[in-house]
Amino acid sequence: MMVVMSVAASPGSLTGAEGLSSAEAAARLKRDGPNLVVPENRASRLKRLLGPLSDPMVALLLIAAPTYLVIGETTDAIVAFIALGPIAAVGWLLESRAERTLEQLRRMTALTAAVMRDGAERSVPADEVVVGDLIRVHEGDVIPADAVLTASTQLLVDESSLTGESLPVDKHLDAFDAEATSLWAGTTVLTGSAQAVVTATGSATRYGSIGRLVANARAPRTQLQLALMRLIWALSLVALVFCVAVIAAVLLHGDGWGAALIAGVSLAIAAIPEEFSMVYTLYLALGARRLAQDRALVRRLPSVETLGSTTVICTDKTGTLTAGRVAVVAIWTPGGGHLNGDDALGNEGDALLKAAVRACEPLPFDPLDLAIVEFARNHGLDIEQLHSDEFAADWPFDATERYLTHVWVDSAERTTRLVAAKGSIEGVLDHSRADQSLRDAAEAANHSFTADAMRVIAVAFGESPLTSTTRSHDEASLQFAGLIAFSDPLRDGVTEALTECRAAGIRVVMITGDHPATAHAIATGLGLPHEHNGADLIVTGADLDDADVERLDELAATSNVFARTRPEQKHLLVEALRRRGEVVAMTGDGINDAPALREADIGVAMGKRGTAVARESASIVLLDDNFATIVTAVRDGRRIFDNLTRAFAYLIAFHPPLLLSALIIPLLGQPLLLLPIHLVLLELLLHPIVSLVFQADPASSDVMSRPPRPVGDALRLRSLARAYAVGIVLAGVLIAMYLTALEGWPEDQARALAFCTLLASQPLLLLSMRSPERPMWSGGQPWTRTIAIVIAVLAATTLACVYVAPFATLLHLEPFPAPWWIVVAAAAATTAWTEPFKRRRAS
């Protein structure tokens, strides 16, 4: 449902400082509908509703039923019409199961917005934002609706998604410039923070018209989807040619148009592999649900397929390889030297911490800022007093020199501007008054900290005149204050996960903004290879800046550790790795990580500390920000693809007996072996088998001890050759049994012999395809309750087909002599003819 917007009003007339009440917000949501900037495509909803009716089986039964009426087979016509119900119902249930799973994932990965409700700030789903809501946004947020500013601090917004212009736009309060005070849905906050009142939601926003186009856009298909489409079209074309040939053959034998159409319909039902697409969607959806249970939310379903092909994982250090429990453990000042957390600060230490607190956000949310504030408070500093002054300027983080600056004005005296800067030691030293001896001492202290795997920032402070209006003027008087060292221990399980990656042929690359010495210490602790001929092979951001394309490709291919890198360099590394044919998973959490996340084959965003932009750009969101979760996702991706391949193998082995019997027997002028009613029964058995059995199978024991699956091998066609061979042999056995039985038995009795053999072969076929590398009796896949139930149902159905009289009559079957069940069992056992070859190959 799209939002119908009222006209925009002034901020003051829409809401108070406490925001809307919950009751008023609920009333407006009911009146206007959800805030869906990209609406759901109504055509897709109708398609899902009518999807089961588009099943080729349904269309073919609609041809068969009236044909039976015309030739006088009233009972068969009624059965064909009745069969439409269960066929459509099974298709609808399976599609609904997949759709429900996808809807749950969509809700779990939906954007949220910070709004004022009932006088308190709350986080609500973005689609529940209503006109008049007072919203708060800060760096990295996607603006949920059109709004008008009521307050802002150094706010820069990226409006490229709306305008195509890449330059950031300054937003501020201006009574004479409506554009400067307006925020637009779908745009991104680059720096600063703001408070605004919502004036338009949903399709009434500026983004709304684009959203309608987006709703109708189709995502590009994956290699596996394209391979499936080619397979289905090829088999459908073959089916069409064969159908024409069979109809012509039956007519030439003088059996009439009715019998010819039934023969053609039977062959079409047998030949068209409509199950492949259903199985693909269902397995990926159920796999995504399982990944969510393992703390990895899938935002783009095809990424589940791609996980199994991952060859390189590029990961951040902080919070992904490390625990993210950042704490200040030591400081260093030029006069006081190293001070541990319990030591007295002294004057220089006190000045260092005061400057560091002023360089933090007034309402800190960054882990480093939180650690600095906690450390300062524990050492007696009054944080509230330091942040009670007027926040005059927020000079944003310089991505090149890696530092930021805050400017405050003493609220009482108002004589000068108090300037505080923090960031990398290189950036802060370059903008501070520091002679060579101070630089040497600071760099020596930094090296001492980083050698112990500590993260280090430098701090500087100074004063500037009240008339200062530029960053360079504010920073002109900065004096170097000292260093602050943080600890962040390695996460539990990360070392084991890295070992598992190496065994699986997956290379892990660490990309960090930290000092090379810190990166070296972390890599050593993790056992991450980073040396060549006894020397450190750690590449810095400066090395990447100096590299041409050829050198960049070489560095990407040989180095596993990159230090002092900038976010945009992640994008360059992903491009270089993909040029070499790698399948890349890239982690990220910041705004500037978004290009790399989009460029990677699998973008992985952090759920806890990631910005909204990073999460929107990613294929997968980690709820726990843990590297080990990525490895778990890769393992599950391989399991899902293995199970999908086994299901495809079963489908491929299942179809040749149907297709060849529907083709060859009419060409020989004999009565049909499989009538449409038999194919309906097989369809009703087939869908539950492939949807219940294979997708629930656990991962093989070697799933993470073999190299990644090549991307080009989308359907593993070579590994499916055995399935084709099994199906063709089974088809030959069935046709031979049927034609032989026809020589001495009635038609329905001969058909019963062959049909029971086909049903009896399914348990062996199922077990064989579940264990592609080992014989089914050697314990390739564990026995499950689902397998037992499916085999019991198949056995009961086989017996009921001939011994339950009404059922047998509907199926045109008659009981055959009991000793012939031995022949049925022996013929069904031919399904296992490839099992000894598996043992030889496995050994």
Side-chain angles (χ1 to χ4, degrees):
M1 179 179 179
M2 294 303 95
V3 177
V4 179
M5 264 301 304
S6 59
V7 294
S10 66
S13 66
L14 284 168
T15 189
E18 295 187 348
L20 299 174
S21 67
S22 295
E24 177 61 23
R28 296 188 184 195
L29 183 62
K30 183 177 180 180
R31 179 194 69 194
D32 297 335
N35 175 37
L36 298 175
V37 178
V38 179
E40 182 183 11
N41 189 338
R42 293 184 179 181
S44 67
R45 281 185 289 174
L46 183 63
K47 182 179 179 180
R48 284 201 303 272
L49 183 64
L50 301 178
L53 299 181
S54 64
D55 189 327
M57 174 74 82
V58 173
L60 293 168
L61 287 175
L62 288 173
I63 296 173
T67 304
Y68 275 127
L69 281 176
V70 170
I71 64 177
E73 299 287 348
T74 306
T75 301
D76 286 338
I78 294 172
V79 170
F81 274 125
I82 292 175
L84 291 171
I87 288 291
V90 169
W92 184 82
L93 286 172
L94 294 177
E95 288 192 11
S96 296
R97 186 183 183 190
E99 185 57 35
R100 283 196 306 272
T101 300
L102 293 176
E103 181 58 33
Q104 290 171 357
L105 294 172
R106 280 192 286 267
R107 287 199 297 269
M108 294 172 74
T109 58
L111 282 175
T112 59
V115 302
M116 294 295 293
R117 295 272 174 88
D118 302 316
E121 183 174 322
R122 297 182 183 177
S123 178
V124 301
D127 60 5
E128 293 182 11
V129 171
V130 299
V131 176
D133 260 330
L134 187 64
I135 60 173
R136 289 180 174 174
V137 295
H138 58 73
E139 179 180 322
D141 283 347
V142 176
I143 297 170
D146 287 358
V148 175
L149 286 176
T150 59
S152 68
T153 303
Q154 302 291 327
L155 187 65
L156 288 178
V157 176
D158 177 6
E159 296 185 345
S160 60
S161 61
L162 192 64
T163 65
E165 295 293 333
S166 59
L167 294 176
V169 180
D170 178 30
K171 297 290 183 177
H172 55 275
L173 296 175
D174 190 330
F176 302 102
D177 187 353
E179 186 67 26
T181 61
S182 298
L183 302 179
W184 308 113
T187 59
T188 303
V189 179
L190 295 176
T191 62
S193 58
Q195 181 173 282
V197 174
V198 173
T199 58
T201 59
S203 61
T205 62
R206 276 198 179 184
Y207 201 82
S209 58
I210 300 174
R212 285 188 288 272
L213 296 176
V214 172
N216 293 316
R218 300 182 67 177
R221 298 184 186 273
T222 67
Q223 289 295 322
L224 181 55
Q225 287 173 316
L226 292 172
L228 278 177
M229 285 183 62
R230 288 193 294 268
L231 176 64
I232 292 171
W233 276 107
L235 293 179
S236 298
L237 182 61
V238 170
L240 177 62
V241 173
F242 284 0
C243 283
V244 173
V246 165
I247 290 172
V250 173
L251 289 174
L252 288 174
H253 284 107
D255 293 332
W257 276 102
L261 279 177
I262 294 299
V265 166
S266 297
L267 192 148
I269 293 174
I272 298 176
E274 80 284 354
E275 305 93 355
F276 281 91
S277 297
M278 179 275 292
V279 169
Y280 172 81
T281 303
L282 180 64
Y283 276 40
L284 262 59
L286 296 178
R289 184 172 68 178
R290 177 162 172 167
L291 285 169
Q293 294 170 351
D294 290 334
R295 315 295 291 169
L297 285 182
V298 176
R299 298 192 67 257
R300 295 181 179 86
L301 198 58
S303 62
V304 177
E305 168 200 330
T306 312
L307 279 168
S309 299
T310 303
T311 59
V312 177
I313 301 175
C314 298
T315 178
D316 290 326
K317 174 186 75 67
T318 304
T320 307
L321 297 174
T322 60
R325 298 191 299 269
V326 181
V328 177
V329 292
I331 63 173
W332 178 88
T333 59
H338 287 265
L339 295 174
N340 294 321
D342 297 330
D343 295 337
L345 294 178
N347 291 335
E348 283 193 350
D350 186 74
L352 169 65
L353 286 185
K354 285 182 178 178
V357 169
R358 286 197 169 101
C360 294
E361 294 294 323
L363 296 173
F365 57 88
D366 179 81
L368 291 183
D369 284 6
L370 291 170
I372 290 170
V373 167
E374 180 182 3
F375 185 81
R377 182 175 281 117
N378 291 340
H379 282 77
L381 270 67
D382 188 341
I383 307 301
E384 288 69 26
Q385 190 276 327
L386 289 171
H387 280 167
S388 66
D389 293 333
E390 178 188 343
F391 193 24
D394 179 4
W395 301 118
F397 183 77
D398 186 316
T400 301
E401 300 191 74
R402 306 183 63 80
Y403 80 105
L404 59 80
T405 303
H406 286 174
V407 181
W408 302 78
V409 174
D410 190 312
S411 299
E413 300 181 5
R414 302 191 65 81
T415 55
T416 58
R417 290 159 66 93
L418 306 175
V419 185
K422 66 179 173 68
S424 70
I425 183 173
E426 299 90 347
V428 172
L429 278 173
D430 287 346
H431 291 82
S432 304
R433 295 178 179 176
D435 58 25
Q436 190 59 47
S437 62
L438 177 55
R439 284 176 174 270
D440 292 343
E443 289 173 356
N446 179 65
H447 180 76
S448 175
F449 285 138
T450 56
D452 290 331
M454 294 183 188
R455 189 173 184 180
V456 182
I457 65 167
V459 179
F461 64 88
E463 296 182 352
S464 64
L466 287 176
T467 55
S468 176
T469 58
T470 65
R471 183 169 190 164
S472 58
H473 286 163
D474 281 334
E475 295 175 351
S477 61
L478 284 176
Q479 299 181 34
F480 189 79
L483 305 175
I484 300 178
F486 304 82
S487 69
D488 187 7
L490 295 177
R491 278 187 180 272
D492 293 337
V494 166
T495 303
E496 292 80 3
L498 286 170
T499 302
E500 192 172 10
C501 283
R502 283 194 289 272
I506 301 171
R507 178 180 160 216
V508 177
V509 175
M510 182 175 75
I511 305 175
T512 177
D514 284 342
H515 193 277
T518 303
H520 168 86
I522 293 292
T524 301
L526 290 171
L528 186 65
H530 60 286
E531 294 183 350
H532 182 66
N533 293 331
D536 260 355
L537 192 61
I538 295 178
V539 178
T540 65
D543 296 329
L544 296 177
D545 287 335
D546 295 337
D548 57 18
V549 173
E550 184 177 348
R551 176 60 177 161
L552 180 63
D553 288 354
E554 181 184 346
L555 292 174
T558 56
S559 180
N560 294 328
V561 180
F562 294 82
R564 279 292 190 250
T565 56
R566 303 187 302 276
E568 63 269 22
Q569 291 173 328
K570 288 185 178 182
H571 184 261
L572 293 175
L573 288 171
V574 173
E575 286 184 324
L577 288 166
R578 294 192 71 198
R579 278 196 297 270
R580 296 182 57 84
E582 306 284 4
V583 178
V584 183
M586 166 65 77
T587 70
D589 57 10
I591 302 171
N592 294 328
D593 290 333
L597 292 173
R598 293 192 191 100
E599 177 69 23
D601 297 280
I602 305 172
V604 182
M606 304 298 111
K608 288 183 176 180
R609 57 190 169 86
T611 62
V613 177
R615 292 194 296 271
E616 284 294 289
S617 303
S619 309
I620 294 175
V621 178
L622 301 185
L623 296 180
D624 57 1
D625 295 6
N626 192 343
F627 177 81
T629 303
I630 304 175
V631 181
T632 299
V634 171
R635 186 189 310 115
D636 239 1
R638 291 189 175 192
R639 180 194 67 84
I640 292 163
F641 191 85
D642 283 349
N643 292 346
L644 191 60
T645 303
R646 290 164 190 162
F648 287 166
Y650 177 78
L651 290 174
I652 285 172
F654 180 86
H655 275 279
L658 280 58
L659 174 60
L660 293 177
S661 63
L663 172 65
I664 294 173
I665 290 176
L667 293 178
L668 297 176
Q670 297 297 325
L672 290 177
L673 166 56
L674 297 174
L675 301 172
I677 186 62
H678 302 127
L679 297 168
V680 167
L681 176 60
L682 291 171
E683 181 94 353
L684 292 174
L685 291 172
L686 175 66
H687 280 183
I689 287 174
V690 295
S691 63
L692 293 175
V693 174
F694 295 98
Q695 64 86 19
D697 279 346
S700 302
S701 58
D702 66 341
V703 71
M704 291 297 280
S705 59
R706 59 177 188 254
R709 169 179 57 88
V711 178
D713 188 15
L715 273 179
R716 283 186 179 170
L717 291 177
R718 289 184 180 178
S719 66
L720 295 178
R722 184 175 60 86
Y724 283 110
V726 169
I728 290 170
V729 170
L730 180 59
V733 170
L734 292 177
I735 293 170
M737 287 181 69
Y738 180 60
L739 293 176
T740 302
L742 280 176
E743 293 179 2
W745 290 0
E747 176 186 326
D748 287 358
Q749 206 171 47
R751 182 179 292 118
L753 181 69
F755 189 64
C756 287
T757 302
L758 178 60
L759 288 177
S761 69
Q762 296 310 300
L764 289 176
L765 185 61
L766 184 63
L767 295 174
S768 177
M769 296 306 149
R770 285 184 75 233
S771 181
E773 302 297 332
R774 297 180 180 179
M776 66 177 79
W777 55 79
S778 67
Q781 281 289 352
W783 189 268
T784 65
R785 182 182 176 187
T786 303
I787 287 289
I789 293 172
V790 166
I791 290 177
V793 169
L794 286 169
T797 303
T798 303
L799 295 173
C801 285
V802 290
Y803 293 126
V804 177
F807 195 27
T809 301
L810 285 176
L811 295 175
H812 297 275
L813 304 177
E814 289 182 11
F816 49 84
W820 280 84
W821 280 104
I822 299 175
V823 177
V824 169
T830 60
T831 307
W833 68 269
T834 61
E835 297 304 298
F837 297 100
K838 293 183 192 175
R839 181 168 55 188
R840 291 177 187 174
R841 185 172 57 189
S843 60

